[in-house]
Amino acid sequence: MAIATAEFDYVIAGGGSAGCVLAARLAEDPSLAIGLVEAGGNGRDLFIRMPAGNGFVFGNSRLDWGYESLPQAALGGRRIYFPRGKALGGSSIMNGMIYMRGVPADYDGWRERGLRGWGFSELLPYFRRAQGAQHRRDAWHGVDGPLKTELSTNFGPLEQAFVDAALAAGHKWVDDFNAAERSGIGRTDSTVCRGIRQSTAIAYLARSPANLKILHGRQVARVLLDRRRAIGVETVTGERIRARREVILCQGAFGTPQTLMLSGIGPADHLAAHGIAPAVDLPGVGASLADHVDVSIQYGSGFPDLSLARYQRLDRAAGLLARWLLSRKGPGAGAFFSTILFHALEDPALPEFEVYMTPMVIDENLTGGAVEAAPLAQRLGRRLLVRGRKLALPGVQIDINLERPRSLGSVRLASADPRAYPLIDPNYFSAPEDLEQLARGVAAMREVMAQSPIARYLNGELGAWKGVHGKAEVISAIRATAYTGHHPCSTARMGAAGDPAAVLDVDLRVRGADGLRVCDAAAMPTQITGNPNATVIAMAEKAADLILGRDPLPPEDPRPGRAAVAASR
């Protein structure tokens, strides 16, 4: 029997990157009661707080939902592992901590689609309000916001060699990827502060306001509807949590469309096929799934002492952990990704590729193959630091992310049981242009890796890339190594009034329903040129103003000649 246990003005379903931000900002109005419903725990675990603790979070069923894709025809039938955070902070408890916005053209494209208020000049003030940059003080960045950022710290000889090789290949140095220029080589900014990962739970909810109630360990099963009005949520145990004003879904690119469909909001024929009575026929729910497809090229190296893989051994992992516990310093205090190359085929303002350099060789896909046998010390050590079924190896890994893929996928229900994971089909390479572009990206990166500053540390390509020549072989290697870039979005996207595939209006309200909004990566109208976490946080900052009826922050645009245009909007 369902039991109503609590009632709030606003109920936020999902305490992820957006949900924590919204909860904190809505609770700034002391007259409101806010309920934040989260399936996982409090997001304060030691290995969440330690930036290098990803290996303990990734694949840990207590902290990682551990989704899998349907078999991908274009990838030889392989299933792809999709880690998603399961605790307060959501996927910001396990991401690579790269603070990277989209390029201005991404957001201006949203405005040109008819989404007034979502252009670059309108979003920049919310990026700035969120950010507390420790090392950047200019018109592009915020310095006082909750989300602390700093220059990535794990920068050693291999990273420097990669930078020098990119410069030798003709790429330019970019001091700040979140300012006027994007294409080039540079160090990343990280969502880390004084050696602590800045998940949104840590950044925004360090002190929970008195008018905010966080309900841990409660998985939302569906939105409760009175006719077409959202009046609360029901958990998988039958608990009912009521909302006097609104329900806001913040469950991410997979969870949000699943909950909408379980609530009777989605493609009517698909819902009916699972015995769910359609309340609102919205074909766009679960459609338009976009992800940054990633291709890895791995290089062996005879310099194990320069590789992060050396910390996989138990004694070295323990030393790293001890140093972090005592001083919040050392390799454990920073993100493993510190150096990135954005490469443009045509327009430097719109690079097609974001390329990550990692000073070790890893296999992130947990869906296939046996766990590689290893000595006891390495088996224990890799649980702390290095994810995957195989041991990390000395070397360099180059991950090429295609930033604006044309191939779109879907999220569909497997059954009407909310505990059953949805059917996720990223539909990689369904658009042949994506393969063609990635082949060009591979050629560009091979040119960089052939430059002497980095080549002297390497002893050849590994695995599917060993001995690969010619376009047909390159395409085959791409299919064999393609994986998720961990950036799914747009499965319940915003759209203008005439957009038949849109789920949300310009104010993030679910079409055809009252008192129901979505704010997370699912709401993004399109994929962006960069990592989505910063964008999701800025969207949540803006959503709080929309929900509370506050005037939007005044537009800002530091690009030359744009200030007057921004002020006129």
Side-chain angles (χ1 to χ4, degrees), residues 190-221:
S190 297
T191 50
V192 175
C193 180
R194 298 185 179 91
I196 304 292
R197 171 192 286 272
Q198 298 298 290
S199 72
T200 55
I202 292 170
Y204 279 83
L205 296 177
R207 297 181 180 85
S208 183
N211 60 332
L212 169 63
K213 179 69 172 179
I214 301 174
L215 304 173
H216 297 293
R218 292 167 170 86
Q219 182 180 344
V220 171

Side-chain angles (χ1 to χ4, degrees), residues 495-511:
D499 184 347
V503 175
L504 313 175
D505 68 11
V506 70
D507 293 324
L508 300 171
R509 295 175 295 209
V510 176
R511 291 180 171 182

Side-chain angles (χ1 to χ4, degrees), residues 145-167:
L147 184 70
K148 307 305 181 187
T149 63
E150 62 184 31
L151 190 65
S152 55
T153 57
N154 276 328
F155 187 87
L158 288 178
E159 285 86 356
Q160 185 62 60
F162 181 62
V163 169
D164 293 341
L167 295 173

